[in-house]
Amino acid sequence: MINVTIVPVLEDNYAYLLEADNGETAIVDPGESGPVIVALGDKDLNLDYILNTHHHSDHIAGNRDLKNAYNAKLAGPAKDSHRIADLDIELDESSVFEFGGEQAQIFETPGHTTGGICIYFPISKIIFTGDTIFSLGCGRLFEGTPEQMWASFQKIMALPDDTKLYCGHEYTQGGARFCLTVEPDNPDLKARAEEVNALREEEKPTLPSTIGIEKKTNVFLRAGSADRFAEIRKLRDNF
Ligand code: ZN
Ligand code: FE
């Protein structure tokens, strides 16, 4: 099993420190190295792997320092190998990538970027979605089409409801405000929005969420079609 520790980095990004039962460690999306080095030091850990979901600098800018400091292996999207420096392990949907004695499953999820991936550990029931799916939101369509993003969502929505979802940013409170404009009468959404407000009041993370919670509350995932998703995404861009 894999234990996950949230490491806040930059303004509102989260990196995630993974510790497996077999002693292996990894960091997901280190947007900067400093807080990750502190987190590893607090736990007296070395770093075996760096995992990147996509090429944006707020997810990879800590790669180099961490590789140098710990001699960690860098794994990330094969399709981004031209724009993520020093990739040691290229990941795509056919990859066999084992971490912590567990076979990771890679989903190629274009939309926010063309190369982005989500990284799923089926035994630990955790998924790292980067900027593809946020709690109560999704990434902007910087490089992909609504159709691509919608197809990417379907891959993730097919996972078990109790899968814990760890995304790249603490955007949940703003997401709740927007989602409520689309589905003002959704009781699950109203309850989640209250929970999120209480957590943020105490400056606590709103993550992880779960696939089940997002299915009931995330208006982007609930759009029903790529066309409707595109409309909702446009509303959000102008919100
Ligand atoms: Zn991004
Ligand atoms: Fe980001």
Side-chain angles (χ1 to χ4, degrees):
M1 293 290 280
I2 296 167
N3 184 61
V4 182
T5 303
I6 298 177
V7 183
V9 296
L10 303 173
E11 273 296 287
D12 51 30
N13 282 70
Y14 287 137
Y16 296 105
L17 175 57
L18 314 190
E19 293 170 77
D21 287 344
N22 71 356
E24 286 188 312
T25 59
I27 191 78
V28 178
D29 282 357
E32 60 177 333
S33 58
V36 177
I37 291 168
V38 170
L40 288 164
D42 284 348
K43 291 171 173 278
D44 204 14
L45 293 173
N46 201 344
L47 184 65
D48 297 312
Y49 294 97
I50 302 162
L51 310 178
N52 290 161
T53 59
H54 66 294
H55 74 93
H56 286 154
S57 69
D58 61 313
H59 300 255
I60 71 169
N63 285 355
R64 179 159 307 170
D65 281 357
L66 295 172
K67 278 195 82 163
N68 289 340
Y70 302 97
N71 202 22
K73 286 226 173 342
L74 173 59
K79 288 193 172 128
D80 283 333
S81 60
H82 62 294
R83 52 186 181 177
I84 297 178
D86 305 320
L87 212 49
D88 298 301
I89 303 167
E90 298 191 3
L91 300 175
D92 63 26
E93 285 183 354
S94 67
S95 295
V96 177
F97 177 67
E98 211 172 280
F99 171 80
E102 186 166 343
Q103 176 68 54
Q105 196 176 335
I106 306 301
F107 295 100
E108 293 175 33
T109 51
H112 177 63
T113 63
T114 51
I117 57 172
C118 295
I119 305 167
Y120 173 52
F121 294 94
I123 296 173
S124 297
K125 295 189 166 194
I126 55 180
I127 187 163
F128 299 92
T129 57
D131 293 354
T132 296
I133 297 176
F134 299 127
S135 184
L136 300 179
C138 72
R140 283 176 188 261
L141 301 177
F142 285 126
E143 298 175 8
T145 65
E147 288 73 21
Q148 283 177 312
M149 189 65 137
W150 184 248
S152 295
F153 290 167
Q154 305 318 307
K155 295 181 185 181
I156 308 308
M157 300 252 277
L159 299 176
D161 281 352
D162 60 350
T163 306
K164 290 198 176 91
L165 184 148
Y166 292 90
C167 58
H169 291 265
E170 180 59 69
Y171 285 164
T172 318
Q173 196 167 33
R177 241 178 276 126
F178 172 74
C179 285
L180 282 166
T181 66
V182 180
E183 290 192 42
D185 301 321
N186 177 334
D188 297 307
L189 175 55
K190 287 196 270 191
R192 172 72 171 143
E194 268 175 39
E195 177 191 42
V196 165
N197 288 338
L199 286 167
R200 295 312 292 157
E201 187 76 35
E202 296 179 48
E203 294 179 28
K204 287 184 180 155
T206 60
L207 302 164
S209 182
T210 67
I211 297 291
I213 290 169
E214 294 309 310
K215 276 187 192 167
K216 287 187 196 163
T217 58
N218 185 323
V219 298
F220 300 93
L221 304 179
R222 293 165 62 76
S225 71
D227 285 347
R228 178 62 183 147
F229 162 65
E231 284 173 19
I232 295 173
R233 185 59 254 180
K234 210 163 271 171
L235 291 172
R236 180 73 174 101
D237 291 341
N238 299 313
F239 183 62

